[in-house]
Amino acid sequence: MDSEETDSGSDSNPPISGDVATLSQFIENMGLHFEDYGIPRIGGKILGLLMVSQRPVSSEEMSEVLQASRSSISTNLRTLLMTGLADRVSLFGERSDYYVFSDEAWETALEMRLEGIQSLREMAEDGLQGMADDDSSRRRLEEVIEWANMVEDTYQRLIRKWQSRKEVPA
């Protein structure tokens, strides 16, 4: 996001407007949703805030809006930046860093899920190496591998489809 397109965070314009109660509930629900995927609730709430924000948001504003400590915001922002779900931006004339929901977040989410599926398949393959060919429980691990291959193929197609929506015909 170009800083020229955005309002400066230093003005009195709040990061969210409209039906604040509904948007606050959305933010809370995002915290619960992402918590199911191993992201701390506050990390999910940060993502929710960034999704509905009209402009880049500073960590100080996040702390105020989400009623969370600055250290919790900072810790979770580092994780969100490392995972590619949020991006840091600078605004002309501002000394603080600001954050936005990453344009690549949904692709990143698919890739993270894909990595989990691939890891599960690799564990099953390792487990098979420790089993005799006639072990009666071998079939369960073979099914894990078969399932993981099918899901991996589906995720790879989803990623390609998601990427292709950004391609503009020449």
Side-chain angles (χ1 to χ4, degrees):
M1 177 176 287
D2 294 333
S3 60
E4 296 171 18
E5 299 177 49
T6 62
D7 291 329
S8 168
S10 64
D11 60 16
S12 60
N13 149 20
I16 59 174
S17 67
D19 184 348
V20 175
T22 299
L23 294 176
S24 294
Q25 187 60 56
F26 169 79
I27 290 167
E28 184 63 35
N29 290 342
M30 291 303 290
L32 294 171
H33 174 78
F34 279 97
E35 194 173 44
D36 288 343
Y37 297 101
I39 294 175
R41 185 178 298 187
I42 189 64
K45 289 170 75 171
I46 290 169
L47 290 173
L49 174 60
L50 294 177
M51 281 184 211
V52 298
S53 179
Q54 300 176 41
R55 59 174 175 74
V57 184
S58 70
S59 59
E60 294 82 12
E61 291 173 303
M62 288 180 206
S63 179
E64 184 179 319
V65 170
L66 301 176
Q67 298 178 344
S69 71
R70 296 273 307 275
S71 63
S72 179
I73 297 292
S74 177
T75 298
N76 282 277
L77 276 172
R78 276 193 301 275
T79 300
L80 297 174
L81 291 168
M82 286 182 355
T83 58
L85 297 174
D87 292 326
R88 180 185 350 247
V89 296
S90 60
L91 302 178
F92 182 75
E94 293 288 326
R95 297 172 100 182
S96 297
D97 287 327
Y98 289 81
Y99 302 89
V100 295
F101 189 78
S102 175
D103 291 339
E104 305 299 321
W106 299 121
E107 183 176 336
T108 298
L110 287 170
E111 289 169 348
M112 288 168 53
R113 294 282 180 86
L114 178 58
E115 288 172 9
I117 298 299
Q118 291 167 332
S119 176
L120 179 62
R121 183 190 59 238
E122 290 167 7
M123 286 186 279
E125 290 169 344
D126 290 345
L128 275 178
Q129 291 180 7
M131 294 180 143
D133 288 343
D134 62 350
D135 190 315
S136 63
S137 59
R138 188 175 180 83
R139 181 67 195 137
R140 287 191 290 271
L141 295 184
E142 291 169 342
E143 285 177 349
V144 169
I145 294 167
E146 183 180 345
W147 176 84
N149 286 336
M150 180 186 71
V151 173
E152 180 179 2
D153 180 59
T154 301
Y155 269 90
Q156 288 174 341
R157 281 185 282 135
L158 283 170
I159 290 168
R160 284 192 302 273
K161 186 173 182 176
W162 185 252
Q163 291 169 335
S164 72
R165 75 172 188 41
K166 293 188 269 183
E167 295 172 5
V168 179

